[in-house]
Amino acid sequence: MQPKANTKKTTETLPSNIPQEIPPQKRRRKYSAAPKRQRRGRPGELCQLNLDVLFLIAEYTHPMDLLNLARTCKSLRQLLMDRSSEFVWKTARRQVIGLPNRPADLTEPEYANLVFYARCHDCGKYAKIVFWEIRRRYCLDCRIAR
């Protein structure tokens, strides 16, 4: 015994008198009532903290964590990349043992990105070596191309 097919056949005749099959209708998914999610692009309760508390917490984080925090949303980026927030970056940098002083031509966030973010400045691949003379990181492929 053959299983029944889910397709319906019509007997409409076309100019060539060949019967055509109508594809089966798609079933709609039934969704349960899921809890509402927060809208993306909002950092939640973090931006509602008092700035003194936020800066106090940020002073005890690693500079790479500060970079990641600044990359989460526009408001935190604007706050942490401002020149008035330089003391937070300095305090976080001083917690890293053996890190040399920042060059005068780089800002604190630029210096943290150069030292701790191990990605090529051109293509984004993993890049281990920092070229201090030009203040850039390049992967092997980009290094050869230059």
Coordinates of all heavy atoms in Angstrom, one line a residue, residues 2 21 26 28 31 55 71 81 87-88 96 105 118 121 123 129 131-132 141-142:
Q2 N 0.6 2.2 -0.9 CA 1.4 3.4 -1.0 C 0.8 4.5 -0.1 O -0.4 4.6 0.1 CB 1.4 3.9 -2.4 CG 2.0 2.9 -3.4 CD 2.0 3.5 -4.8 OE1 1.3 4.5 -5.1 NE2 2.7 2.8 -5.7
E21 N 0.1 19.7 -11.2 CA -0.1 19.5 -9.8 C 0.0 20.8 -9.1 O 0.8 21.7 -9.4 CB 1.1 18.6 -9.2 CG 1.0 17.2 -9.7 CD 2.0 16.3 -9.1 OE1 2.7 16.8 -8.1 OE2 2.2 15.2 -9.5
K26 N 1.7 25.7 2.7 CA 2.6 25.6 3.8 C 1.8 25.8 5.1 O 0.8 26.5 5.2 CB 3.6 26.7 3.7 CG 4.6 26.5 2.6 CD 5.6 27.6 2.6 CE 6.6 27.4 1.5 NZ 7.6 28.5 1.5
R28 N 1.4 27.1 8.9 CA 1.9 28.2 9.7 C 2.3 27.7 11.0 O 1.7 26.8 11.6 CB 0.8 29.2 9.8 CG 0.4 29.9 8.6 CD -0.6 31.0 8.8 NE -0.9 31.6 7.6 CZ -1.1 32.9 7.5 NH1 -1.0 33.7 8.5 NH2 -1.4 33.4 6.3
Y31 N 3.1 30.0 17.4 CA 4.1 30.5 18.4 C 3.4 30.7 19.7 O 2.2 31.1 19.8 CB 4.6 31.9 18.0 CG 5.4 31.9 16.7 CD1 5.0 32.2 15.5 CD2 6.7 31.4 16.8 CE1 5.7 32.2 14.3 CE2 7.5 31.3 15.7 CZ 7.0 31.7 14.5 OH 7.8 31.7 13.3
F55 N 31.9 55.4 36.8 CA 33.3 55.6 36.7 C 34.1 54.9 37.7 O 35.2 54.4 37.5 CB 33.7 57.1 36.7 CG 33.4 57.9 35.5 CD1 32.9 59.2 35.6 CD2 33.5 57.3 34.3 CE1 32.7 59.9 34.4 CE2 33.2 58.0 33.1 CZ 32.8 59.3 33.2
R71 N 32.3 49.8 23.2 CA 31.8 49.4 21.9 C 30.4 48.8 22.0 O 29.9 48.4 21.0 CB 32.7 48.3 21.3 CG 34.1 48.9 20.9 CD 35.1 47.9 20.5 NE 36.3 48.5 20.1 CZ 37.5 47.8 20.0 NH1 37.5 46.5 20.2 NH2 38.5 48.5 19.6
M81 N 34.8 57.6 25.5 CA 35.8 58.2 24.5 C 36.1 59.7 24.7 O 36.9 60.2 24.0 CB 35.4 57.9 23.1 CG 35.4 56.4 22.8 SD 37.0 55.6 22.9 CE 36.6 54.0 22.6
F87 N 40.8 59.9 32.9 CA 41.3 59.4 34.2 C 40.9 58.0 34.4 O 41.6 57.2 35.1 CB 40.8 60.3 35.4 CG 39.3 60.2 35.6 CD1 38.8 59.3 36.6 CD2 38.4 60.9 34.9 CE1 37.5 59.2 36.8 CE2 37.0 60.8 35.1 CZ 36.6 60.0 36.1
V88 N 39.8 57.6 33.9 CA 39.3 56.2 34.0 C 40.3 55.3 33.2 O 40.7 54.2 33.8 CB 37.9 56.0 33.4 CG1 37.4 54.6 33.5 CG2 36.9 56.9 34.2
V96 N 47.6 47.3 35.0 CA 48.3 46.3 34.2 C 49.8 46.4 34.5 O 50.4 47.4 34.3 CB 48.1 46.4 32.7 CG1 48.8 45.4 31.9 CG2 46.6 46.4 32.4
D105 N 51.6 60.8 21.4 CA 50.8 61.0 20.2 C 49.5 60.2 20.2 O 48.7 60.3 19.2 CB 51.6 60.8 18.9 CG 52.1 59.4 18.8 OD1 52.3 58.7 19.9 OD2 52.3 58.9 17.7
A118 N 44.1 42.5 19.7 CA 45.1 41.7 18.8 C 44.5 41.4 17.4 O 44.4 40.3 17.0 CB 45.5 40.4 19.5
H121 N 44.9 46.0 11.7 CA 44.2 47.2 11.5 C 43.7 47.4 10.1 O 42.9 48.3 9.8 CB 45.1 48.4 11.8 CG 45.3 48.7 13.3 ND1 46.4 48.2 14.0 CD2 44.5 49.3 14.2 CE1 46.3 48.6 15.3 NE2 45.1 49.2 15.4
C123 N 42.6 44.3 7.9 CA 41.7 43.2 7.5 C 40.9 42.6 8.7 O 39.9 42.0 8.5 CB 42.3 42.1 6.7 SG 43.5 41.2 7.7
I129 N 51.9 40.9 16.4 CA 53.0 41.8 16.5 C 52.5 43.3 16.3 O 51.7 43.6 15.4 CB 54.1 41.5 15.4 CG1 54.6 40.1 15.6 CG2 55.2 42.6 15.4 CD1 55.6 39.7 14.5
F131 N 53.6 47.1 15.5 CA 54.7 47.9 14.9 C 54.6 49.3 15.6 O 53.8 50.2 15.2 CB 54.5 48.1 13.4 CG 54.6 46.7 12.7 CD1 53.5 46.0 12.3 CD2 55.9 46.3 12.4 CE1 53.7 44.8 11.7 CE2 56.1 45.1 11.8 CZ 55.0 44.3 11.4
W132 N 55.5 49.5 16.6 CA 55.4 50.7 17.4 C 55.8 51.9 16.7 O 55.4 53.0 17.0 CB 56.3 50.5 18.7 CG 55.8 49.5 19.6 CD1 56.2 48.2 19.8 CD2 54.7 49.7 20.5 NE1 55.4 47.6 20.7 CE2 54.4 48.5 21.2 CE3 53.8 50.8 20.8 CZ2 53.4 48.4 22.1 CZ3 52.8 50.6 21.7 CH2 52.6 49.4 22.4
D141 N 49.7 38.5 6.2 CA 49.3 38.8 4.8 C 49.4 40.3 4.5 O 49.9 40.7 3.5 CB 47.9 38.3 4.5 CG 47.8 36.8 4.6 OD1 48.8 36.1 4.4 OD2 46.6 36.3 4.8
C142 N 48.9 41.1 5.4 CA 49.0 42.6 5.2 C 50.4 43.1 5.3 O 50.8 44.1 4.7 CB 48.0 43.3 6.2 SG 46.3 42.9 5.9

